Amino acid sequence: MKLTSTSLILLSVASAFAGTEMFFADTDTFELVQKSSLDQCFPSSIPWVNYEGNDYIFNRMQYNSICVDSKGKQYEWGAIQGVYPSIATPGGGCSNICVRGYGRAEAKGCSSSQRPDPQKLAGFNYDCDNATCYCLYEKGVLSSKYNKCFDSMNTSNTGSGDVTKTTTKQGTTCYSLYIQPSNPPAPQPRKPTRKPTKMPSPTPRGQSICTRSPDYTCYKSGRPQCCSKKNGKDCPKEMTICDNYPEGMTGWNYCTNSPDYKCYKDGRPSCCNGNSMNCPKDKPKCDKKKTTEELASQRFLRSVN
């Protein structure tokens, strides 16, 4: 059975609902399930995996993405199918499986001593729709001797070094990895320091912003947050601020930046007074009129130049 990101939320009780068709009484309930399934498929907080003296700390990058290196190259991977629990489940999920191994591989003859060195991991991609983990390794780590350890492998990719970027892929999300010694006191996990990049606008397919082509680089669900409520009736006409950023990244919402009273009457764009996620993608122009003194000063500077 092929799983979808919407249905994955029900997996924890799959045995009780097997073969049962699900119905929702109203759109609000359906929208809540969609949001919950996204959070459950790709949680931001994952338990650290302590293994053989090291802490393996995974960090969610952008939703709908796969991991690449600094040159944009993908990594070698070993795929493990049928990973149904949330990846944040203690003792289960990709974070544990990629580091510690799993029972099905051991049954096929892949013991802990025969698995790839977990310190060679670069991270993992999780495909929620197909419930598949892709454990990522640098070029040259995987070979045919690890066939019993995975359901399938790709050894043709040439990614190397740490995961620093992502490329868009719907239904999959990248998790980077930081490894540190387990000896206390353990430092806090690293947080992304990259500045948010300007996102390209999707190609319009209709008058409503909710009917335009999905943009999974900018939005977690492919469309602005307002589209998931009341069928988008409360959405503005222009594309709204992006919400798809790596865990821990700050500064992407200009409504949360320091107030600028020289530019805006209230210190911030007027749209920030309501739901900031309905603000336009690009920061609005200043709305504060210049004083007579400021205008005179500008005229003087132009005259001397």
Side-chain angles (χ1 to χ4, degrees), residues 3-303:
L3 303 171
T4 66
S5 56
T6 302
S7 64
L8 192 62
I9 189 175
L10 305 174
L11 285 171
S12 60
V13 289
S15 59
F17 291 93
T20 302
E21 189 173 4
M22 304 300 295
F23 295 94
F24 300 97
D26 52 56
T27 56
D28 289 340
T29 303
F30 179 72
E31 290 160 2
L32 177 62
V33 170
Q34 283 188 310
K35 181 180 185 302
S36 300
S37 64
L38 181 65
D39 293 340
Q40 187 162 335
C41 281
F42 309 119
S44 297
S45 177
I46 301 180
W48 295 10
V49 179
N50 180 274
Y51 184 70
E52 296 185 346
N54 287 316
D55 287 328
Y56 292 79
I57 306 165
F58 293 92
N59 186 78
R60 180 188 59 74
M61 304 294 280
Q62 285 182 299
Y63 293 102
N64 296 295
S65 67
I66 54 176
C67 302
V68 295
D69 66 8
S70 59
K71 297 181 179 178
K73 295 181 179 180
Q74 297 184 39
Y75 296 88
E76 295 183 349
W77 50 258
I80 304 163
Q81 299 173 348
V83 184
Y84 296 130
S86 164
I87 53 180
T89 302
C94 301
S95 51
N96 275 284
I97 286 174
C98 291
V99 174
R100 298 175 178 272
Y102 61 110
R104 192 167 75 247
E106 294 174 0
K108 292 192 297 184
C110 176
S111 64
S112 58
S113 61
Q114 296 170 316
R115 291 188 293 105
D117 183 355
Q119 296 190 51
K120 299 292 181 65
L121 274 169
F124 66 81
N125 297 323
Y126 183 63
D127 181 345
C128 187
D129 288 347
N130 294 295
T132 300
C133 295
Y134 293 88
C135 305
L136 307 177
Y137 299 88
E138 293 189 64
K139 176 185 177 182
V141 173
L142 297 182
S143 65
S144 58
K145 69 178 181 180
Y146 298 121
N147 282 338
K148 295 180 180 180
C149 300
F150 302 102
D151 294 321
S152 60
M153 290 193 305
N154 182 317
T155 59
S156 62
N157 294 334
T158 58
S160 62
D162 293 337
V163 174
T164 58
K165 299 179 181 179
T166 61
T167 186
T168 304
K169 184 177 181 182
Q170 183 181 356
T172 300
T173 288
C174 161
Y175 287 80
S176 61
L177 172 64
Y178 174 63
I179 304 174
Q180 67 180 24
S182 299
N183 297 328
Q188 294 298 311
R190 294 185 305 180
K191 291 186 177 181
T193 57
R194 293 180 292 116
K195 294 182 179 179
T197 55
K198 188 176 181 180
M199 303 299 180
S201 299
T203 303
R205 287 198 295 114
Q207 293 182 348
S208 169
I209 63 173
C210 298
T211 60
R212 300 183 184 182
S213 300
D215 183 357
Y216 292 99
T217 301
C218 181
Y219 303 108
K220 295 177 183 179
S221 64
R223 292 186 169 86
Q225 286 188 10
C226 61
C227 295
S228 63
K229 299 178 180 179
K230 300 180 182 178
N231 294 320
K233 292 180 180 179
D234 296 334
C235 285
K237 293 182 179 179
E238 68 274 5
M239 299 304 290
T240 63
I241 194 169
C242 298
D243 64 3
N244 189 8
Y245 292 98
E247 175 193 0
M249 178 178 284
T250 59
W252 55 268
N253 187 341
Y254 51 75
C255 288
T256 62
N257 294 339
S258 299
D260 182 0
Y261 292 102
K262 292 183 179 180
C263 182
Y264 302 103
K265 296 177 183 177
D266 299 323
R268 294 183 175 89
S270 59
C271 66
C272 297
N273 296 329
N275 181 0
S276 65
M277 297 313 298
N278 280 350
C279 283
K281 182 185 293 186
D282 297 323
K283 188 175 182 179
K285 296 180 179 179
C286 297
D287 61 8
K288 184 176 181 180
K289 294 183 179 180
K290 295 184 181 297
T291 64
T292 304
E293 291 80 6
E294 289 173 328
L295 292 172
S297 176
Q298 285 185 346
R299 287 195 293 268
F300 172 76
L301 290 174
R302 286 196 296 266
S303 66

